[in-house]
Amino acid sequence: MISTLRNAWKIPDLRSKIVYTFMMLVIFRLGSVIPVPGINIDYVRAIVSQAGLLGFFDLFSGGAFGNMTIFALSITPYITASIIMQLLTIAIPSLEEMAKEGEEGRKKIAQYTRYATVVLALIQAAGISIGLFGSALISRDPFSVTVVVLTLTAGTAFLMWLGEQITEKGIGNGISLLIFAGIVSRVPFSIKEIWFQLQQGTLSPISLIVFLALSVVIIAAVVAIQEGTRKIPVQYAKRVVGRKMYGGQSSHIPLKVNQSGVIPVIFAMSLLSFPQTISLFFGQDSGFANWVATWLNPNSINIWGVVIYSLLSAVLIIFFTYFYTAITFNPVEISTNMKKHGGFIPGIRPGKPTTDYLNKVLNRITLAGAVFLATIALLPTILMRITGMQIAFGGTALLIVVGVALETMKQVEAQMLMRHYQGFLK
């Protein structure tokens, strides 16, 4: 990875893309320390430190939520809006036709997603300002509340724009990189917490060693699964066009074990935070907020609350893995293209039998990838319940960090390979 980055730095346009991405992430981190006007930050920190699920949300915002900065809502409303739009694209025929129109259709859907993001951000900002952190408002007059709501909403809208700019002009997926930067920025804080627990004697060195060993295993496993592919052999028949003979060569279709990357984990996390968003309107001491904290919280005192949260998380991760794989890989289209070019899978007839075979193989390896994602996401939570360690940097965070790093490096390598081809053609 280091050698790839070193080689990429030598290419002028790639270097400018890397610098641009880095500067956008610096802007993101700068905005994460600018407080929202009219809020008592100490009160907010006290609430976030007591509520487990809020602390989990604070991790993915890079500490912006706990410090009530302009980026406190993070990019979560955009992710939720993306989930809603993708589900509606399947349910509503007009949106499905729009998605098939190509670039123009995708631009329209992206525009609808932006509108939905602003609406969701407004709802969440109102819930935080009026409900959960209502007592943190220095002044409760309508003007002060409006300023807080609009500031939080504008922060999310700016992050959405920032992510799109990184995707368009930088390296990697902008939204994923913003989440990546937020999680990585909390690593020093997590190390400080672990050191404090060791000094206080609340954490044993053996438990720390076990957790670190498990983290290394998780990282290695994520890399192995992300890189794992099932190669489907494809043979192309010989055909004569004029005086030339084409085809006759062998190739393969690489089916990735984890076709969807870390998207299912991010989607599941966003969906599970939705009840928490609703509870913001009722306040921290309300019955609904207490119910969410008890039964939908990975750090709940009630063991059954942890079990329910873990099961829901696993089911959602598996569902979104299949859902996103179905969107990104179309066996019917692959089969049709193979048939047009005289390709076939040895032992399988072209057409529908090929489509059925690809579906069968894809379903099997997707199940393996989905179960793996769910297991890795939940394993550290189980370990923390057993060892008593209380650190935020768990399996979900590790999955996202390693997955985003791998995907970004692949994009860098693809950009370098494309430029090598261009140089060869010149």
Side-chain angles (χ1 to χ4, degrees), residues 20-283:
Y20 182 85
T21 302
F22 178 75
M23 293 306 297
M24 292 296 103
L25 294 179
V26 169
I27 291 173
F28 163 62
R29 290 309 305 159
L30 288 175
S32 298
V33 297
I34 301 175
V36 174
I39 291 285
N40 184 349
I41 307 298
D42 293 332
Y43 181 86
V44 174
R45 287 173 182 166
I47 293 180
V48 173
S49 63
Q50 294 172 4
L53 199 56
L54 292 179
F56 188 71
F57 184 75
D58 186 45
L59 170 68
F60 288 93
S61 68
F65 184 75
N67 293 318
M68 205 55 182
T69 68
I70 58 175
F71 293 157
L73 298 185
S74 186
I75 203 67
T76 306
Y78 179 81
I79 298 172
T80 307
S82 299
I83 297 172
I84 293 171
M85 287 305 302
Q86 289 190 12
L87 292 173
L88 290 178
T89 301
I90 296 176
I92 301 176
S94 59
L95 286 176
E96 187 176 0
E97 289 298 321
M98 191 182 297
K100 293 177 181 178
E101 290 177 2
E103 188 64 27
E104 289 301 318
R106 284 192 291 271
K107 285 182 179 178
K108 290 179 182 177
I109 292 177
Q111 193 69 24
Y112 294 154
T113 304
R114 295 187 191 103
Y115 295 148
T117 300
V118 174
V119 172
L120 289 174
L122 272 172
I123 295 173
Q124 194 167 344
I128 289 175
S129 305
I130 300 171
L132 180 66
F133 297 147
S135 301
L137 291 171
I138 297 174
S139 175
R140 296 182 64 88
D141 61 275
F143 177 77
S144 299
V145 174
T146 303
V147 168
V148 173
V149 171
L150 291 181
T151 301
L152 291 173
T153 305
T156 295
F158 180 77
L159 280 184
M160 177 177 61
W161 176 83
L162 204 66
E164 291 178 350
Q165 293 302 305
I166 293 174
T167 303
E168 183 181 347
K169 301 177 182 178
I171 292 288
N173 183 289
I175 303 301
S176 299
L177 282 173
L178 290 177
I179 299 174
F180 172 88
I183 295 173
V184 171
S185 69
R186 302 299 288 169
V187 172
F189 175 78
S190 296
I191 294 174
K192 179 183 175 183
E193 284 292 310
I194 292 173
W195 179 252
F196 179 75
Q197 290 178 29
L198 283 172
Q199 287 183 323
Q200 296 295 317
T202 56
L203 174 64
S204 68
I206 296 176
S207 298
L208 177 60
I209 293 171
V210 170
F211 186 83
L212 291 176
L214 181 65
S215 299
V216 173
V217 171
I218 289 175
I219 292 172
V222 170
V223 173
I225 292 296
Q226 290 287 94
E227 299 295 314
T229 56
R230 166 75 185 274
K231 296 180 179 179
I232 306 295
V234 177
Q235 184 71 37
Y236 287 92
K238 293 181 180 180
R239 54 196 176 96
V240 178
V241 180
R243 293 183 178 182
K244 293 184 178 181
M245 180 176 292
Y246 296 90
Q249 75 271 22
S250 298
S251 183
H252 67 270
I253 303 173
L255 296 181
K256 294 187 67 175
V257 176
N258 184 19
Q259 191 85 17
S260 54
V262 296
I263 297 297
V265 180
I266 297 174
F267 278 12
M269 175 201 71
S270 299
L271 212 58
L272 284 173
S273 67
F274 189 71
Q276 181 71 36
T277 303
I278 300 300
S279 69
L280 299 179
F281 286 96
F282 299 93

Side-chain angles (χ1 to χ4, degrees), residues 286-334:
S286 66
F288 181 72
N290 290 329
W291 183 86
V292 171
T294 303
W295 297 103
L296 291 176
N297 189 348
N299 298 317
S300 174
I301 300 175
N302 188 342
I303 185 63
W304 290 108
V306 179
V307 171
I308 291 173
Y309 180 90
S310 300
L311 288 176
L312 283 175
S313 179
V315 170
L316 286 173
I317 289 173
I318 292 172
F319 167 76
F320 281 121
T321 302
Y322 273 97
F323 175 74
Y324 201 78
T325 300
I327 291 175
T328 56
F329 187 88
N330 189 346
V332 177
E333 186 179 346
I334 298 292

